[in-house]
Amino acid sequence: MTEAPSSTSSSRAGPIRRDWLAKSLAGVFAGFTFAMGCSGLLLAALGSFPPPLRAQFAMWLVVPVWLGVLASCFATRSGLRAWLWLGGGNLAVYALLAILHRL
Amino acid sequence: MRADLIRLYKTLHTWTGIIAGLALFIAFYAGALTVFKEPLARWVAPPVTTLSVPLADTPALIARTLAAQPTAARDFQITLNPDAANPQRLTWQDHPGHGEEHDSLGAHHYAATLAADGSARIETTQPSQLTELIDILHRVVGLPFDNDITRAVMGVICMLYSLALVSGVILVLPTLARDFFAMRISPNLKRMWMDTHNVVGLISLPFHIVMAITAVVFAYHDGIYALQNKLFHNGNLSATWAGAKAQHTPPRNPADLLPPTELLSRSHGIAPDFVPTSLQYVQVLGPRPTVRIWGHDDSSLSPRAMGGFVALDPYSGKVLSTDFLPGRQSAANTTLASFFALHFGTFGGSVVSAMYFLLALAGAWLFYSGNLLWIESRRKGGRKANQKGINKEGQQSPPTATQRRDVRALANATVGVCLGCVAGISLTIVAGRWLYGHVTDLNAWHWYVYYAVFLASIAWAFWRGTARAAVELLWFATAVTLAIPLTSLACMLGLLPGPWALTDASGVDFTAFGGALALAWMARATTQRVRHGEAGSIWSALPEEAKAGKKPGA
């Protein structure tokens, strides 16, 4: 933990842009679709569970993932990066789901 | 950790806290009281004067009630130990209109008893909705209705709350080792409030994480299920819940229902530690008749706020499901049930209830103190900005006067909303006994009293200014909270006319007395600070002109 002023501490990576709107929207919307995708993967992983239990676990997974992603979004260096990270995450999750669906 | 990252999360913490803080105060204060929903319901309900139908006569009561009123077969309840709050043996409700299940206030309540000639006598009842009012304030952060819109608002508030939690933790992490338990009791009051805010927040962090996640789930689960149904369940989710298709069955005769005593002995055979409280009969004339034996088991966690249940076939006594029976659930069901139990504090009996009560009050205090810290730092920032022309962020500061008006408004709102909520709930509890028999719709009056006090307190705070209103509203809250045990005292002495004459004091009275003492202590401390505190503080009762007069020299 360095207490250096922001101008030197951020010399390598550039300052963290605040981008409140872009980061919030990324967390709320792309974060939600990402969390939904994760719940789809959980449903696939819990294939041997009784259906009502799988459905409940999948529902409960969405919110913690969503909130976790939303809070982490603000740690990205810019709003654009938040969208890129989450876009990539969404792509990966839904691609995996599509592959599982084909199998 | 990078300093600019921490500053970013500090801004996030500040603004999410400011936007959501007041709503969360109400949610947590009312939530603390819902822990003691049942004692509160007994406190406000008139003592039972008539005897309820004996359990042995219940089969006849059920058969004749269903013959007279077949719609009751959809869902009715047998109370095993009728008390003041639930005096009737057989009750049911219907929800006129659009049948919104969360709309507990619009329901019509019915009860059936056996007349002298053995026929069923059906009457409408008006059970007190005081505890429902407090629960609604809790569920939808102080708004007067629980519907899709207010639940969505609550969900947004809780998402902001989760952001405030994460960012708050990030803020204290760098100095955690040094500052944890560092309570600097010093003349610097702001430092002391900050330390207390941090230590209370960190100690109750697990509780808050649970609350943030479960509350967002409670707000949005319908929508999430609906989307998952489309995306992953091919629209078959409702079939998943319904389970196996019902077999075709001949028409049911309520006279064939097993007597409640027989059903209870079956449940005792399955779970001896399980203490049944009521029997909920669902669709007893339909193809899949079920009776849910609801109850508690303090040695295990309860899957729902009102306990857990074992589901039996009411005709054969066959066990249909132990998925919701405390202590008899599968590992997966126990895990799911624990999410609910962790929110409602329905595990570990009265020790955990008391703990949840205190944690929720501590949570309410956290939001109150958070707002006060914002106000204090804004005030200082404003003064510095006045001298240097810049504020901490190094940006051009807005004119000091407007900033001060913002600060004053938030300070007034904080005092008015928080103390108005406390006083409003106390007074509406008291009103339950004093207005009984004097007004036709007592349940509506509970709302009138609460909102009258709540809105008047906010108006008072804006009219009188923070410092004076804080003292006055604290004394007012003390008085109306003290009125709870005093009302009971009046009942014990026979001074309050009406059905409560000579009733005993209860835990509600002792808790309210303790609460009144705490409020009185706060009122005294605030009086001190208002009289002797720093002149520039929002807590100073010095006249505006005096403050304005000092400013140029400062």
Side-chain angles (χ1 to χ4, degrees):
Chain A
M1 164 70 206
T2 51
E3 289 286 355
S6 58
S7 54
T8 54
S9 76
S10 54
S11 54
R12 260 184 64 215
I16 290 181
R17 292 169 56 94
R18 302 208 147 196
D19 293 346
W20 292 117
L21 188 67
K23 287 182 181 178
S24 306
L25 293 177
V28 169
F29 293 104
F32 182 73
T33 52
F34 177 76
M36 286 298 281
C38 289
S39 78
L41 290 179
L42 184 71
L43 278 170
L46 297 180
S48 59
F49 267 52
L53 291 177
R54 288 169 62 204
Q56 289 182 70
F57 275 108
M59 190 280 289
W60 276 96
L61 182 76
V62 174
V63 169
V65 173
W66 187 21
L67 296 180
V69 168
L70 175 62
S72 327
C73 261
F74 297 98
T76 53
R77 255 188 288 137
S78 69
L80 181 67
R81 285 199 168 239
W83 275 101
L84 287 176
W85 272 109
L86 275 172
N90 272 292
L91 212 63
V93 166
Y94 284 94
L96 202 54
L97 272 173
I99 292 167
L100 287 173
H101 192 70
R102 280 286 172 84
L103 290 178
Chain B
M1 212 178 293
R2 291 170 52 152
D4 53 348
L5 190 68
I6 291 186
R7 267 206 311 279
L8 182 140
Y9 273 103
K10 184 168 187 207
T11 311
L12 186 68
H13 184 71
T14 303
W15 288 104
T16 50
I18 289 304
I19 297 167
L22 293 178
L24 289 170
F25 178 93
I26 299 176
F28 273 71
Y29 184 74
L33 299 185
T34 57
V35 172
F36 296 117
K37 212 174 173 180
E38 287 168 17
L40 260 174
R42 282 195 296 273
W43 191 92
V44 80
V48 193
T49 47
T50 52
L51 281 175
S52 54
V53 179
L55 198 60
D57 294 344
T58 310
L61 177 65
I62 293 174
R64 279 161 207 169
T65 304
L66 294 185
Q69 187 58 270
T71 53
R74 196 180 56 84
D75 189 344
F76 65 89
Q77 177 175 312
I78 298 291
T79 302
L80 293 175
N81 302 301
D83 62 3
N86 293 297
Q88 304 281 359
R89 180 69 75 187
L90 196 169
T91 53
W92 70 96
Q93 319 175 2
D94 66 29
H95 300 262
H98 39 277
E100 159 84 55
E101 62 171 310
H102 297 277
D103 178 22
S104 46
L105 295 176
H108 293 171
H109 296 257
Y110 304 91
T113 51
L114 284 174
D117 64 351
S119 65
R121 197 176 64 221
I122 294 167
E123 56 190 62
T124 58
T125 58
Q126 274 199 341
S128 171
Q129 283 169 351
L130 168 72
T131 55
E132 196 55 32
L133 178 150
I134 296 173
D135 202 358
I136 287 177
L137 292 177
H138 164 65
R139 291 204 300 260
V140 295
V141 295
L143 300 166
F145 319 99
D146 184 356
N147 59 24
D148 288 341
I149 297 164
T150 52
R151 269 199 308 284
V153 172
M154 181 272 272
V156 172
I157 297 280
C158 290
M159 290 181 71
L160 292 170
Y161 165 42
S162 75
L163 285 177
L165 277 184
V166 174
S167 53
V169 172
I170 290 174
L171 283 185
V172 294
L173 276 180
T175 54
L176 185 61
R178 198 180 66 218
D179 281 356
F180 194 53
F181 291 130
M183 287 279 300
R184 278 156 284 198
I185 312 261
S186 67
N188 186 345
L189 278 174
K190 191 199 155 194
R191 186 72 244 177
M192 198 176 86
W193 276 75
M194 176 83 96
D195 287 344
T196 324
H197 182 85
N198 291 348
V199 82
V200 169
L202 269 176
I203 286 176
S204 46
L205 183 65
F207 173 81
H208 285 284
I209 292 173
V210 165
M211 289 305 158
I213 292 175
T214 50
V216 175
V217 170
F218 294 159
Y220 294 132
H221 65 275
D222 287 345
I224 294 172
Y225 273 132
L227 265 174
Q228 287 178 329
N229 189 22
K230 284 209 181 96
L231 285 173
F232 309 122
H233 299 291
N234 301 320
N236 294 327
L237 197 56
S238 51
T240 303
W241 298 140
K245 274 259 160 47
Q247 290 153 353
H248 186 70
T249 44
R252 299 287 190 174
N253 180 1
D256 298 338
L257 287 168
L258 288 177
T261 45
E262 175 58 28
L263 293 169
L264 289 174
S265 75
R266 303 269 169 120
S267 95
H268 186 76
I270 306 165
D273 293 339
F274 181 67
V275 185
T277 52
S278 67
L279 274 58
Q280 182 194 7
Y281 290 77
V282 184
Q283 303 287 8
V284 284
L285 301 181
R288 287 153 55 85
T290 307
V291 59
R292 294 173 179 169
I293 302 180
W294 285 90
H296 296 281
D297 182 349
D298 280 354
S299 65
S300 185
L301 59 83
S302 294
R304 290 295 181 270
M306 58 181 285
F309 65 83
V310 52
L312 303 179
D313 182 317
Y315 295 96
S316 67
K318 202 184 90 177
V319 178
L320 297 177
S321 161
T322 57
D323 286 353
F324 291 87
L325 182 60
R328 296 295 184 281
Q329 300 179 284
S330 66
N333 268 314
T334 308
T335 309
L336 287 167
S338 70
F339 303 150
F340 292 87
L342 281 169
H343 184 100
F344 299 117
T346 47
F347 58 100
S350 52
V351 178
V352 171
S353 296
M355 222 173 75
Y356 264 61
F357 179 71
L358 294 177
L359 280 168
L361 288 182
W365 179 85
L366 207 56
F367 306 123
Y368 183 72
S369 59
N371 272 21
L372 293 191
L373 285 169
W374 181 86
I375 292 159
E376 283 294 290
S377 25
R378 263 315 121 123
R379 175 179 66 82
K380 296 218 165 112
R383 207 161 52 187
K384 263 185 215 144
N386 210 21
Q387 291 163 0
K388 295 181 190 163
I390 49 164
N391 64 14
K392 271 187 239 156
E393 264 86 33
Q395 295 148 344
Q396 198 67 39
S397 79
T400 316
T402 55
Q403 202 177 56
R404 289 187 62 92
R405 198 185 300 146
D406 292 354
V407 175
R408 272 211 307 274
L410 188 82
N412 292 340
T414 302
V415 166
V417 167
C418 296
L419 298 177
C421 170
V422 172
I425 289 179
S426 291
L427 193 64
T428 201
I429 292 174
V430 172
R433 280 196 187 180
W434 289 94
L435 293 182
Y436 183 85
H438 298 289
V439 293
T440 47
D441 190 355
L442 183 56
N443 286 326
W445 275 88
H446 276 305
W447 288 95
Y448 302 153
V449 170
Y450 171 77
Y451 275 107
V453 173
F454 178 68
L455 297 174
S457 298
I458 298 171
W460 187 266
F462 275 88
W463 180 50
R464 297 282 288 166
T466 311
R468 269 179 240 116
V471 172
E472 290 153 358
L473 290 175
L474 274 167
W475 283 120
F476 176 64
T478 308
V480 291
T481 307
L482 192 63
I484 295 172
L486 287 182
T487 300
S488 288
L489 190 66
C491 292
M492 286 163 77
L493 299 174
L495 297 175
L496 183 72
W500 287 275
L502 309 174
T503 50
D504 274 341
S506 71
V508 173
D509 297 304
F510 294 111
T511 310
F513 185 69
L517 285 183
L519 285 165
W521 173 74
M522 286 186 253
R524 265 187 57 103
T526 312
T527 311
Q528 294 288 319
R529 184 153 188 204
V530 164
R531 291 219 185 105
H532 308 294
E534 282 176 82
S537 163
I538 203 88
W539 293 111
S540 169
L542 285 176
E544 284 299 310
E545 309 83 67
K547 271 192 243 177
K550 275 186 185 158
K551 228 192 293 176

